[in-house]
Amino acid sequence: MSSPSLKDLVEEWLALDPNPETRKEIQTLWDSHDVDELEKRLRTRIEFGTAGLRGRMEAGWSRMNDLIILQTSQGLSDYVLEHVKDARSRGLVVGYDHRHHSKHWAQLTTSIFVSKGIKVYLLQGFNHTPMVPFSVKRLNAACGVMITASHNPKQDNGYKVYWENAVQIIGPHDDGISKAIKLYSHQGGPADQLDISSSEFLVDLTKQLQTEYFAYLESLMTNRELNSDAGNKFVNTSMHGVGDFFVKEGFSIFGFPSYIPVKEQQQPDPEFPTVRFPNPEEKGALDLALATAEREGINYVLAQDPDADRFTAAERRPTGDWVLFTGDQLGSLFASRVFDTYKSSGKPIDKLAVVASTVSSKMIQSMADIEGFRFVECLTGFKFIGNTALRLAEEGFDVLFGYEEAIGYMFGPQIRDKDGVAATMLFGELIATLRAQGETIEGHLKQLYQSSCDSKLKSLQTNNSYFICTDPKITDKIFARIRKYDANVSLLNDTRAVYPKTLAGLDINRVIDLTTGYDSGNPPDYRPSLPLSSGHMIQIRASDLNANLVLTLRHENKRDRTQALKTLRRTNKLTILQIKYYLEGSGKDAQLVGRLLLEAIAEISSQWFQADKYNISKA
């Protein structure tokens, strides 16, 4: 079947879109003959994946707008009714943040579900993302939807879906929901939003659920007496998001003295006026918080991203400079804290389990090997971390912590997703405990590296970033080259022989390729223990007597690469893609480890990726 003409696409959009503003956008582009922009917006449809939807708020099939929300909700509601028992009575939880259109899209989603006789628990007011999975679990709901784009730029918004197990969706449900949505791809929405205010299927339990959430937070507390010390002083930023309300209540519950807020970033503001990207990990995002702390004479900065599911922190050294902790460092600190608390409870250590993504630090694996608790790796993303935690719980383990290096942390059995507010409270408790012992966070972290692991691990450092490529075909060539690195090998008969043999001068002793399904360290079938990745993903481990390196290379999934190729063919414009790398080094000497990390990155760039040949740049 031939592709529809651009004129047909424009006419269909104008006929289906119920929103006069986005109809006007397309009409204006058509009247001005902006073919390239119309092709980008109308030729392909935004893909529903394991994170739901996320994209730019504009008119068009490839964007986020009223029509996409309506069609998505139609497909999702049908799929839930078909696959979840008693879905109508169990209901849907809907939450939203402060971004442009978030409240409106939450109401549109609600209207579709109630029109089909499905109960909807619409969380009123701005809520942080963890409230949705928490509420799905507490209410035994059939599904949950959160309208948010997390820490994306201000132009974006999203539609995040949680399944009946209160965890982000994974296959086969993501594909099933996507197919259900496509059945509505040629149907429009109501010209006026359905009146949901008087619907018998609309239920407001917001206050009750927030009270129960704060009770859950309180259950994580271990030392309120130490927390209340007046010397525990903090600066907190919610990064123009929704977290301040929840953090403030959490501080009260935990007994901390009131924090100093970053006034310019305290209140929800969808424009995010003080930051280029509202992501606490981005360079410069914490500048205002650090300046506030220095002005107030405070040594600790706490930060949540806009939807408050991520957390990061900084500590001022006695010299006056700041330590901005990485996600892996915080993950190690939290894991150690969870282990110590569990051990003091007297429960069998072998019943404790911790989960982390495979691109995260191997520090916790070393801790688990020594202390005797269970550590399990999974694919990247909390959809995998949460489902892995559920599986381990079914096996009888107490899964009390999970994390990924992208500053996401999960605590306890009530929320199998990342929670920046819970992380804020527990990090505050760790500070209070260490202050009472005359220690610092950085000093404690160094002690963990030296005492919790083998004698080789006196220094542990990470370097995570990405390379920028403008052609998805080149990324395929790069990964094909890595898989056939020996120029003398023409066929993949001996897979173990074709990957690089050294990295930064260290012998490579293990290769795990989660695209082809190969693990050199798992004979006799050499199959990896982790499920395959939908995109390119290779992990390489190298070592000598003095140091270890662990490198993971990762690229977007195949669906995204196919989409990028279509965009390139259609517009003849560059599409920027990322090849991410996660590099961790450990060894006896900090200078040695730092040098090896730099040498490894240089070798990956010049030799493995052939960056000059393919015009690839490092971020």
Side-chain angles (χ1 to χ4, degrees), residues 6 57 177 212 236 342 344 447 467 474 482 491 495 507 534 541 565:
L6 183 58
M57 294 179 281
I177 294 169
E212 292 175 358
N236 187 76
Y342 194 82
S344 65
Q447 290 177 15
F467 289 88
I474 290 175
I482 294 172
L491 297 174
T495 310
D507 289 337
S534 60
R541 304 187 184 197
L565 280 168

Side-chain angles (χ1 to χ4, degrees), residues 12 15-18 45 61 66-68 70-72 74 78 116 180-190:
E12 182 179 27
L16 297 180
D17 185 7
R45 185 179 183 89
W61 305 114
D66 284 12
L67 183 55
I68 291 298
L70 289 166
Q71 292 177 340
T72 299
Q74 291 276 19
D78 283 357
K116 297 182 180 183
I181 293 169
K182 288 176 181 177
L183 295 177
Y184 288 90
S185 61
H186 298 291
Q187 297 185 31

Side-chain angles (χ1 to χ4, degrees), residues 60-320:
W61 305 114
S62 64
R63 302 295 197 259
M64 293 292 295
N65 47 67
D66 284 12
L67 183 55
I68 291 298
I69 295 295
L70 289 166
Q71 292 177 340
T72 299
S73 298
Q74 291 276 19
L76 176 62
S77 57
D78 283 357
Y79 187 86
V80 169
L81 286 172
E82 181 179 352
H83 290 86
V84 180
K85 185 179 179 180
D86 301 324
R88 282 192 170 86
S89 59
R90 290 172 63 185
L92 167 78
V93 175
V94 180
Y96 58 91
D97 68 4
H98 66 304
R99 285 179 180 262
H100 294 299
H101 306 299
S102 283
K103 180 178 180 179
H104 175 56
W105 289 347
Q107 292 171 334
L108 285 182
T109 301
T110 300
S111 70
I112 293 299
F113 275 76
V114 300
S115 72
K116 297 182 180 183
I118 302 172
K119 184 189 298 183
V120 176
Y121 301 94
L122 177 60
L123 300 177
Q124 300 295 329
F126 300 148
N127 281 276
H128 69 330
T129 292
M131 275 300 300
V132 170
F134 176 82
S135 301
V136 171
K137 181 177 176 65
R138 297 291 289 189
L139 299 169
N140 190 32
C143 188
V145 172
M146 179 68 188
I147 307 297
T148 181
S150 189
H151 53 272
N152 274 36
K154 67 177 183 179
Q155 297 88 355
D156 291 357
N157 212 331
Y159 187 103
K160 194 171 191 176
V161 178
Y162 293 85
W163 198 236
E164 62 173 325
N165 62 2
V167 179
Q168 296 177 44
I169 55 169
I170 56 173
H173 298 305
D174 53 351
D175 286 335
I177 294 169
S178 180
K179 291 175 182 176
I181 293 169
K182 288 176 181 177
L183 295 177
Y184 288 90
S185 61
H186 298 291
Q187 297 185 31
D192 297 308
Q193 182 183 323
L194 298 174
D195 182 15
I196 60 175
S197 59
S198 59
S199 173
E200 62 179 305
F201 300 111
L202 182 64
V203 182
D204 180 11
L205 295 179
T206 307
K207 295 299 182 183
Q208 173 188 321
L209 289 166
Q210 287 179 349
T211 298
E212 292 175 358
Y213 170 79
F214 290 124
Y216 146 72
L217 275 188
E218 187 173 10
S219 73
L220 301 176
M221 182 173 60
T222 60
N223 55 16
R224 197 175 198 280
E225 184 175 347
L226 289 178
N227 296 343
S228 61
D229 189 295
N232 294 322
K233 296 181 180 180
F234 309 94
V235 164
N236 187 76
T237 176
S238 297
M239 205 64 62
H240 298 295
V242 302
D244 187 70
F245 165 76
F246 294 92
V247 174
K248 188 177 296 182
E249 184 65 22
F251 259 59
S252 175
I253 291 168
F254 273 63
F256 295 122
S258 297
Y259 57 82
I260 301 295
V262 179
K263 292 288 188 182
E264 301 91 332
Q265 300 173 337
Q266 184 179 12
Q267 299 304 319
D269 187 338
E271 289 296 311
F272 306 103
T274 68
V275 289
R276 183 180 177 190
F277 295 106
N279 181 354
E281 288 184 292
E282 289 288 335
K283 185 178 180 180
L286 293 182
D287 285 355
L288 275 175
L290 298 177
T292 301
E294 291 184 356
R295 184 177 67 247
E296 299 290 338
I298 293 175
N299 293 331
Y300 291 98
V301 165
L302 313 173
Q304 306 82 40
D305 72 341
D307 67 327
D309 64 350
R310 299 175 190 264
F311 164 80
T312 195
E315 177 181 63
R316 182 159 53 174
R317 295 186 175 110
T319 55

Side-chain angles (χ1 to χ4, degrees), residues 1 25 34 46 51 84 106 121 150 152 162 228 230 255 258 317 365 383-384 388-389 456 462 496 526-527 536 564 589:
M1 186 174 65
E25 279 185 47
D34 195 338
I46 188 171
V84 180
Y121 301 94
S150 189
N152 274 36
Y162 293 85
S228 61
S258 297
R317 295 186 175 110
Q365 177 68 74
K383 54 185 173 287
F384 297 113
T388 301
K456 183 187 293 186
T462 59
R496 289 165 289 176
Y526 299 101
R527 293 179 181 176
H536 289 303
D589 179 77

